[in-house]
Amino acid sequence: MSAPARGGYAAWVSWLEAFRRGEDPSTEGLGPVRGGFGSYVEARLLERLSTAFAGRVRQWQTSLGDRIVAQPPDGPVAASAILRDAVARLEPLAKLAGSPLVPPALGASMRDMLADVREGARTALEEAWRRGLEDEHVAGMPAQRRVDPSARRPLAGGVRPGRVPEGGARRN
């Protein structure tokens, strides 16, 4: 049995499995995904590539979501720091999206997805920070009691507030 061709389908599959698991293997030795695989094999490889990329994006989103829930940002500076750290972890995905090994149309789609993911992260962090402000504001206010109007105690003379006694005018 002969070894797979350098940069062939088997090399890509192996690389994609590692990438999907969260590893960042070198792309050295991989050939470009352009026409040399045959249409069916190339379509299958592009599907695997898209699936691995989307899986890494989901991992990133889950990790960031867990981070926000565990320790919400307490201000815009903290939110910005969290976002910078998170975006830095997108670098391997951005590198793949910009790689000449990936067909231009797929690379553009990946870059668009990353832009949407960054914007979603920015929005999530802003909302978490604002919720924290609202929670602090509410926590600092005295608790408001809900009053059930039908449960009001009668005033002297058996009159409930806001009601007119039978057969007469309202008492003050």
Side-chain angles (χ1 to χ4, degrees), residues 17 29 59 61 65 80 84 123 133:
E17 282 303 308
Q59 289 172 10
Q61 290 172 316
S80 179
R84 268 193 317 275
T123 300
L133 284 178

Side-chain angles (χ1 to χ4, degrees), residues 134-170:
E134 290 169 4
D135 292 347
E136 286 176 18
H137 179 70
V138 170
M141 296 182 70
Q144 294 183 355
R145 296 185 317 180
R146 290 183 47 197
V147 179
D148 181 358
S150 65
R152 292 183 179 165
R153 292 187 185 158
L155 298 175
V159 177
R160 290 188 184 268
R163 294 198 178 187
V164 177
E166 288 183 37
R170 184 176 178 166

Side-chain angles (χ1 to χ4, degrees), residues 4-169:
R6 178 176 161 93
Y9 183 81
W12 265 105
V13 169
S14 176
W15 187 92
L16 287 170
E17 282 303 308
F19 184 79
R20 185 188 54 76
R21 287 190 308 265
E23 299 172 25
D24 298 319
S26 170
T27 56
E28 190 169 323
L30 295 178
V33 183
R34 289 193 188 87
F37 294 100
S39 61
Y40 175 77
V41 173
E42 186 171 323
R44 180 73 181 129
L45 183 56
L46 290 173
E47 180 183 327
R48 283 177 172 250
L49 183 56
S50 296
T51 300
F53 187 85
R56 281 290 292 267
V57 168
R58 279 190 303 277
Q59 289 172 10
W60 182 88
Q61 290 172 316
T62 299
S63 175
L64 179 60
D66 291 348
R67 165 63 178 85
I68 292 170
V69 168
Q71 188 177 12
D74 59 359
V77 173
S80 179
I82 292 169
L83 185 61
R84 268 193 317 275
D85 178 57
V87 167
R89 287 180 287 139
L90 283 176
E91 185 56 34
L93 285 85
K95 186 176 176 182
L96 177 61
S99 172
L101 299 174
V102 176
L106 180 58
S109 177
M110 290 172 161
R111 287 188 297 276
D112 289 346
M113 181 183 219
L114 289 175
D116 290 345
V117 164
R118 284 185 198 105
E119 186 57 36
R122 183 177 291 109
T123 300
L125 282 162
E126 184 177 303
E127 287 174 4
W129 171 57
R130 291 191 192 285
R131 270 193 311 272
L133 284 178
E134 290 169 4
D135 292 347
E136 286 176 18
H137 179 70
V138 170
M141 296 182 70
Q144 294 183 355
R145 296 185 317 180
R146 290 183 47 197
V147 179
D148 181 358
S150 65
R152 292 183 179 165
R153 292 187 185 158
L155 298 175
V159 177
R160 290 188 184 268
R163 294 198 178 187
V164 177
E166 288 183 37

